[in-house]
Amino acid sequence: MSFIEASQLTKVFRHDIKEPGLIGAAKHLFTQKHVNKTAVDHIDLRIEEGEAVAYVGPNGAGKSTTIKMMSGILVPTSGSVKVAGILPYKNRIENAKIIGAVFGQRTQLWWDIPIQESFSLLKDIYAIPDSVYRKNMQDFTEMLQLDEILHLSARKLSLGQRMRADLAAALLHNPKMVYLDEPTIGLDVSVKQRIREFIKTINRELGTTILLTTHDLGDIEDLCNRLIIIDHGKIIYDGTLSAVKDKFARERTIHFQMQKPFAEPPSWLNQLPGVELHGIADREIALRFDRFRVTASEVVTLAMKYGEIIDFRMDEPDIEHVIKRVYEGSLELDDVKLAGESS
Ligand SMILES: Nc1ncnc2c1ncn2[C@@H]1O[C@H](COP(=O)(O)OP(=O)(O)O)[C@@H](O)[C@H]1O
Ligand SMILES: [Mg+2]
């Protein structure tokens, strides 16, 4: 059995439709109009203990909803998810003992009391043994530089300070599982770096399982050995970061060095669909092609037919570009389908 097991996990939200104005209000009394929005759509997922997994996708893809079901905040519409053998939305108390969660948008700290006192309250709530509490306070204070903020209330903290305090609060009871929903959003580079180091240490040294949503490629590169992409409530990719480019980067560029210089763009280019001129200068020509339509060897063969090739090299696909398209929601469905077929 895996540590996290989601099976056909689904969440449908019901949106009531209100029509504006008096007539709309009156209508609303009589016609109960609503539409259903499937936020998470029959997800199957397994995560092993100790993994650090990035969960990414465009806004509205269903990331937060998935995490809310896993952390017991929302009840699935259908399907199920178990964490360490527990149904989080049923066994809430048992679940709370083994998980920690940070939602980047809002704090879980008490607004008006000093951070230090919030931590003491958490110690009582979670019945954290003295020794564990003392060790964690010491380690976390050092790693997250909490010294300067322990005496302040959450209300007084900057976003970066608050996020550091929130992370410490979420991990004080040594949870086995941590959900981090956009923990670095809006933070400057140095705070980001500190938070990444902290998460990495927790994962590597304590074996804490991490599920992280982020809009930051650096977070994924630094922390996660596995990447899951969700789009329109469905998982469209589950694998390593480096393999994602092989799946989704459809454009490749080949640079040729030819024996003879070109006077003008060669006319043979249009003989292959999906190939276009990327650059031309003297004896060098760069051709960009869509590898779902034509293979590299077809492009090379074509060039060879029309001139002697001295040398050529192919550009590595650009992972940043692929991830950017993931966040923008502009991975075309074609890409996904074709990528699936080619594997
Ligand atoms: N409480 C809610 N009530 C109604 N619709 C919701 C609610 N929470 C999320 N949604 C909708 O579900 C979809 C997925 O949202 P969410 O899980 O927050 O996406 P993400 O975290 O990937 O940006 C969106 O269309 C969103 O509008
Ligand atoms: Mg979200």
Side-chain angles (χ1 to χ4, degrees), residues 8-223:
Q8 296 291 292
L9 183 64
T10 300
K11 184 71 188 181
V12 179
F13 289 111
R14 211 172 99 153
H15 293 263
D16 291 320
I17 300 175
K18 291 198 179 94
E19 288 176 46
L22 198 58
I23 295 172
K27 261 193 198 163
H28 194 65
L29 290 176
F30 302 107
T31 57
Q32 286 288 356
K33 274 196 179 170
H34 58 261
V35 286
N36 289 331
K37 164 83 201 174
T38 305
V40 172
D41 198 354
H42 299 87
I43 281 181
D44 287 319
L45 183 62
R46 284 159 179 273
I47 294 174
E48 303 305 326
E49 189 158 13
E51 278 194 280
V53 178
Y55 195 43
V56 308
N59 284 330
K63 304 180 294 293
S64 295
T65 305
T66 310
I67 288 187
K68 284 175 185 167
M69 289 191 281
M70 287 179 172
S71 57
I73 296 170
L74 286 174
V75 182
T77 307
S78 63
S80 68
V81 59
K82 278 189 179 175
V83 181
I86 296 170
L87 285 171
Y89 34 90
K90 285 227 171 94
N91 303 11
R92 288 170 159 276
I93 294 176
E94 246 183 294
N95 178 59
K97 284 184 198 154
I98 60 157
I99 73 152
V102 172
F103 292 91
Q105 316 295 337
R106 63 192 160 85
T107 183
Q108 300 163 95
L109 296 159
W110 288 270
W111 206 232
D112 288 312
I113 62 174
I115 300 302
Q116 179 69 73
E117 280 176 42
S118 277
F119 289 171
S120 300
L121 278 170
L122 289 169
K123 175 180 187 292
D124 294 340
I125 291 170
Y126 287 104
I128 304 171
D130 284 338
S131 58
V132 173
Y133 181 73
R134 238 178 291 127
K135 178 165 194 328
N136 282 350
M137 279 305 294
Q138 199 176 349
D139 292 352
F140 295 2
T141 301
E142 194 190 318
M143 280 190 276
L144 293 168
Q145 292 189 324
L146 301 177
D147 265 335
E148 62 197 57
I149 57 176
L150 283 175
H151 63 286
L152 298 172
S153 62
R155 160 191 306 287
K156 297 228 173 78
L157 303 183
S158 71
L159 184 62
Q161 291 174 325
R162 212 210 69 205
M163 191 54 69
R164 286 184 278 144
D166 257 319
L167 264 175
L171 287 157
L172 219 44
H173 61 296
N174 286 348
K176 288 178 167 186
M177 176 70 217
V178 179
Y179 303 99
L180 303 169
D181 198 350
E182 302 284 1
T184 60
I185 201 161
L187 302 182
D188 64 47
V189 178
S190 67
V191 181
K192 251 184 207 178
Q193 205 48 47
R194 189 160 292 281
I195 284 177
R196 281 180 194 158
E197 283 305 318
F198 179 72
I199 297 169
K200 211 188 288 183
T201 306
I202 295 295
N203 175 244
R204 308 265 154 93
E205 287 180 13
L206 301 177
T208 309
T209 311
I210 312 269
L211 185 63
L212 167 88
T213 80
T214 180
H215 270 72
D216 196 314
L217 177 61
D219 287 347
I220 308 173
E221 283 176 326
D222 260 24
L223 296 171

